[in-house]
Amino acid sequence: MTNSGSIQSTLQETRKFLPASEFSAQAHISSEEQYQSMWQKAKDDPAGFWGELSQELQWIKPWTEVISGEMPETRWFTGGQINACENCVDRHLTSWRRNKAAILWEGEPGDTRVLTYNDLHREVSKFANVLKKLGVNTGDRVTLYMPMIPELAIAMLACARIGATHSIIFGGFSADAVADRNNDAQAKIIVTADGGWRRGKEVPLKSAVDESLTKSHTVQKVVVVRRTGQQVHMQTDRDYWWHDLMSDVDPHCDVVPLDSEHPLFILYTSGSTGKPKGVMHTTAGYLLGTTMTSRWVFDLKEEDTYWCTADIGWITGHSYVVYGPLSNGSTVVMYEGAPNWPDEGRFWEIIEKYRVSIFYTAPTAIRAFIKWGDHWPQSRDLSSLRLLGSVGEPINPEAWMWYHRMIGQERCPIVDTWWQTETGAIMISPLPGISATKPGSCTRPLPGVVPEIVSKEGTPLEANEGGLLVMKQPWPSMLRTLYGDHERFKQTYFSTIEGAYFAGDGARRDADGDIWVMGRVDDVLNVSGHRLSTMEVESSLVAHPAVAEAAVVGFPHEIKGEGICCFVTLKTADSEGSDSLTADLIQHVRKQIGALATPDKIRYTAALPKTRSGKIMRRLLRDIAAGRESVQDTTTLEDLSILAKLRDSDDA
Ligand code: WTA
């Protein structure tokens, strides 16, 4: 298990913080009894519970059955027809909300745009017509590889409007990663931009798309948003400017009625093998999950200004920048760039400027803020904030306390939300009106979520015993399959523990029943809140001509949570790697996967420590990478390997 430093500190954590009574009084879920009765009802009668809540959505045709089939083949709201875009946009047009800001957007250079729900409706309808004109049909896959600009949200919702399944690729991924994902999803078109702004530099997206298209052949058309104005190559009859297409298209587009289980999107995420998994979510269940959790966890109210800092390229952005808040008719802040551009106070400036009331970010960002210094938030007026959230990795108590004091000014509840790409929506989290929060604990399951902590054999564990976190009951927003590989879906999530969903985390429950997630128990790293498989980095390294073998492990990193340490053996007899080779290998991995996979350390060794059966001893390597083993400079890995063989050599 990784991040042992923070596990140590969470084991000793005893502080508790109760919500202020004024907050509780106005919250959507405002009493313990209310929570208990919701949770119990959802457990005992899930069909009744979710069936009632489904009335929160607008249906085209009512469903006939809430839940059918056993996990993992559960289907939700059978017989119903619905459209996610209609729920996020059109249904707000019948009231004064029509003129409410849906998106308050700020570009990194400081340019701004406001889109009301009416504006959003017009732009989305137009782009849906553009997609149709380009030959996109219901059921086709559309790749979106874009910066954080309103056109990304518009393109998603336009896909949803006509029932095209979007597959968003985070802008930090490389051309190769784009090609792999396009091929796997068999995407018909790709929407991109010339580039995006990040720390004052232009991130070239269109040129990466051009490169990816030499390796992926299903893509027929490319739509390009002009964002940075940089020079790009436009291929006739393949590449089109967004603004040209939008200038002459009908602003009216009917929504397409879609079955509840129609695939809404695919989102690739790292698993414990090298090949990314295409997590597939469907329409009604996902929408209901994100709609309700947005309301329960963020306590969303009509007048809130809500800002989730995640990039839409990740699940957090899908669920809590776009679908969840827009389905609730909220005003969402969207920011294009880096938190430290032009200076380290940018986020606090944005909060002050837009009077943000709900702020949702990641522990890695919080740790960076701490390092940058208190004077940045202190020099801004943060009094508009009423609730803070955290997501993506376990939050260390120190970062939690700083967030609580410096940003929340001891006034704002903190919701530490545990969930995954696969779960679609938040699963375990404090409810801000009732929960006693504890620094480092995501506390209790939301209504409809029935977690258990079990041993490897599946036996439920006692309080404070660490084990595997599993889900015993299906929930509406769970993934339905891995695109094109249903076997892998069953194998990955439903074969470890009989009759339960398991997606790779270790956790414990304390004596109060609160859950503490400790981190991944598989070979998945969590680098700055981004999932990355060690195998992905390893296969990239061994594809380099100089490398014979590679083993990649995580190590505790002050800002990133986990850093990437690569142990490498070379093909040439002498194992001494040079500085220039190190630079070359780092560049190679960045090129193959993307900047998010940049190795922090490359260590050369003559051989990798292995068990008798030839398995790489990762635990030993993790200890070395973390500096936990008192490794003498002269000690080689072979020596350690022998040492480890003498001890228990079964490295799990
Ligand atoms: C980790 C992000 C502890 C966990 C929404 C999970 C967390 C993985 C938390 C999913 C949290 C996410 N506390 N760990 N509050 N939130 N994680 O798919 O290891 O990018 O399995 O989804 O992040 O990452 P993913």
Side-chain angles (χ1 to χ4, degrees):
M1 209 161 293
T2 53
N3 251 332
S4 57
S6 64
I7 289 170
Q8 222 34 47
S9 53
T10 56
L11 279 176
Q12 285 148 22
E13 185 55 56
T14 54
R15 288 170 285 200
K16 266 190 212 181
F17 298 86
L18 288 162
S21 51
E22 310 86 75
F23 193 105
S24 304
Q26 60 80 61
H28 285 302
I29 298 183
S30 57
S31 73
E32 179 64 22
E33 298 68 46
Q34 187 187 356
Y35 163 73
Q36 289 296 347
S37 81
M38 286 168 83
W39 194 84
Q40 205 56 47
K41 161 130 191 183
K43 180 168 184 283
D44 299 341
D45 175 21
F49 179 80
W50 291 110
E52 255 168 54
L53 285 182
S54 74
Q55 299 315 313
E56 299 290 335
L57 300 180
Q58 186 168 315
W59 293 83
I60 297 167
K61 185 177 159 216
W63 44 263
T64 49
E65 193 180 19
V66 177
I67 309 175
S68 26
E70 294 288 307
M71 199 158 65
E73 310 298 344
T74 321
R75 298 291 174 265
W76 291 79
F77 306 111
T78 311
Q81 285 191 325
I82 191 164
N83 185 289
C85 177
E86 180 172 49
N87 274 273
C88 292
V89 184
D90 303 49
R91 70 163 156 157
H92 307 308
L93 302 186
T94 54
S95 72
W96 63 272
R97 263 194 201 153
R98 174 172 67 250
N99 291 321
K100 177 178 177 175
I103 299 177
L104 300 170
W105 177 81
E106 181 154 315
E108 193 185 73
D111 47 340
T112 59
R113 279 162 72 187
V114 177
L115 278 97
T116 63
Y117 275 95
N118 194 53
D119 294 332
L120 191 60
H121 178 254
R122 184 186 57 249
E123 298 304 306
V124 166
S125 303
K126 280 168 68 181
F127 196 65
N129 280 330
V130 166
L131 290 173
K132 287 201 273 189
K133 218 162 141 182
L134 294 176
V136 177
N137 299 313
T138 303
D140 286 342
R141 270 81 52 219
V142 173
T143 292
L144 310 178
Y145 180 60
M146 299 171 78
M148 279 287 281
I149 54 177
E151 284 80 359
L152 174 50
I154 292 166
M156 290 167 86
L157 293 163
C159 287
R161 194 169 190 84
I162 61 167
T165 301
H166 58 73
S167 163
I168 305 185
I169 305 176
F170 172 61
F173 279 111
S174 66
D176 287 356
V178 173
D180 287 349
R181 288 159 174 75
N182 275 340
N183 287 334
D184 191 81
Q186 301 195 299
K188 196 167 189 179
I189 79 159
I190 171 159
V191 185
T192 187
D194 48 0
W197 292 107
R198 184 85 193 168
R199 234 164 265 127
K201 292 206 182 73
E202 296 168 27
V203 179
L205 296 172
K206 174 60 168 62
S207 62
V209 167
D210 292 341
E211 197 188 328
S212 78
L213 291 185
T214 62
K215 295 175 191 163
S216 61
H217 303 289
T218 59
V219 176
Q220 296 161 8
K221 309 272 183 210
V222 181
V223 181
V224 188
V225 179
R226 182 173 284 148
R227 167 63 188 138
T228 59
Q230 70 199 85
Q231 199 65 37
V232 292
H233 165 75
M234 297 292 279
Q235 187 173 309
T236 318
D237 295 334
R238 189 196 70 184
D239 301 350
Y240 303 87
W241 287 108
W242 172 291
H243 55 265
D244 286 342
L245 295 168
M246 291 286 270
S247 70
D248 121 58
V249 76
D250 190 349
H252 177 84
C253 175
D254 285 334
V255 301
V256 175
L258 299 166
D259 286 345
S260 297
E261 287 291 338
H262 184 79
L264 179 62
F265 66 86
I266 302 169
L267 181 58
Y268 286 87
T269 187
S270 294
S272 46
T273 73
K275 190 175 177 301
K277 308 181 283 196
V279 168
M280 197 181 87
H281 284 286
T282 60
T283 306
Y286 172 81
L287 195 64
L288 185 59
T290 52
T291 304
M292 296 320 302
T293 51
S294 295
R295 210 175 297 169
W296 293 335
V297 175
F298 301 118
D299 194 45
L300 271 182
K301 300 283 164 53
E302 194 70 76
E303 57 280 11
D304 275 310
T305 304
Y306 163 92
W307 184 22
C308 164
T309 68
D311 192 290
I312 291 176
W314 306 110
I315 191 66
T316 306
H318 281 63
S319 300
Y320 298 109
V321 178
V322 180
Y323 289 111
L326 295 184
S327 169
N328 278 288
S330 301
T331 296
V332 168
V333 172
M334 183 173 169
Y335 168 60
E336 177 187 27
N340 53 350
W341 191 267
D343 61 40
E344 284 78 3
R346 186 64 182 270
F347 274 19
W348 320 123
E349 184 193 329
I350 291 175
I351 291 175
E352 179 182 88
K353 178 171 169 188
Y354 296 95
R355 307 291 299 149
V356 170
S357 55
I358 301 171
F359 178 63
Y360 188 31
T361 197
T364 183
I366 298 169
R367 291 190 297 266
F369 302 144
I370 298 174
K371 194 166 158 213
W372 293 337
D374 294 353
H375 57 288
W376 293 110
Q378 273 166 346
S379 65
R380 294 290 176 178
D381 175 8
L382 305 181
S383 61
S384 57
L385 290 171
R386 68 179 193 95
L387 190 152
L388 304 176
S390 170
V391 63
E393 48 176 318
I395 183 166
N396 44 312
E398 231 176 296
W400 196 101
M401 286 306 300
W402 183 88
Y403 201 28
H404 170 69
R405 286 206 190 99
M406 191 57 58
I407 308 306
Q409 298 167 342
E410 301 185 14
R411 167 186 79 241
C412 304
I414 296 181
V415 290
D416 173 2
T417 62
W418 178 88
W419 58 295
Q420 308 176 298
T421 304
E422 292 87 343
T423 68
I426 297 169
M427 302 288 279
I428 307 176
S429 168
L431 289 164
I434 61 165
S435 303
T437 53
K438 301 172 182 175
S441 169
C442 53
T443 71
R444 290 184 299 179
L446 296 184
V449 176
V450 185
E452 205 160 326
I453 294 168
V454 300
S455 70
K456 277 185 186 165
E457 292 70 43
T459 323
L461 297 175
E462 300 291 311
N464 283 321
E465 287 183 333
L468 309 179
L469 177 62
V470 300
M471 301 296 150
K472 303 290 277 190
Q473 268 191 18
W475 62 100
S477 66
M478 70 192 290
L479 80 166
R480 298 298 193 268
T481 191
L482 293 176
Y483 189 73
D485 200 347
H486 199 64
E487 265 318 299
R488 187 176 178 200
F489 158 77
K490 287 193 278 188
Q491 180 63 30
T492 308
Y493 305 106
F494 299 94
S495 70
T496 312
I497 302 296
E498 174 85 34
Y501 165 87
F502 170 61
D505 278 315
R508 74 183 167 90
R509 235 185 186 126
D510 67 19
D512 299 333
D514 286 323
I515 294 172
W516 301 70
V517 172
M518 301 188 284
R520 305 286 305 191
V521 295
D522 52 10
D523 291 326
V524 173
L525 303 179
N526 193 327
V527 180
S528 301
H530 301 152
R531 272 164 70 170
L532 201 61
S533 100
T534 53
M535 283 265 295
E536 248 172 308
V537 184
E538 285 164 10
S539 24
S540 164
L541 285 167
V542 296
H544 187 281
V547 175
E549 257 194 313
V552 171
V553 295
F555 67 95
H557 186 286
E558 196 193 352
I559 304 288
K560 297 180 179 180
E562 252 184 314
I564 304 172
C565 179
C566 311
F567 293 87
V568 169
T569 67
L570 299 178
K571 283 184 182 156
T572 47
D574 76 280
S575 65
E576 288 302 302
S578 61
D579 285 352
S580 77
L581 179 62
T582 300
D584 196 38
L585 290 179
I586 291 175
Q587 210 36 50
H588 171 83
V589 174
R590 286 173 64 102
K591 163 120 193 9
Q592 286 217 319
I593 307 176
L596 71 163
T598 309
D600 295 280
K601 296 182 191 167
I602 303 256
R603 297 180 59 164
Y604 298 98
T605 166
L608 293 172
K610 292 185 182 159
T611 60
R612 272 188 208 97
S613 59
K615 255 173 76 187
I616 292 171
M617 300 165 125
R618 291 178 181 278
R619 192 170 48 200
L620 175 68
L621 292 179
R622 276 197 286 269
D623 284 344
I624 296 169
R628 282 193 288 269
E629 194 94 6
S630 56
V631 188
Q632 302 285 317
D633 277 343
T634 51
T635 315
T636 66
L637 283 180
E638 280 118 305
D639 296 339
L640 284 171
S641 165
I642 292 161
L643 200 76
K645 271 182 191 160
L646 290 172
R647 296 203 216 113
D648 173 13
S649 64
D650 182 29
D651 187 60

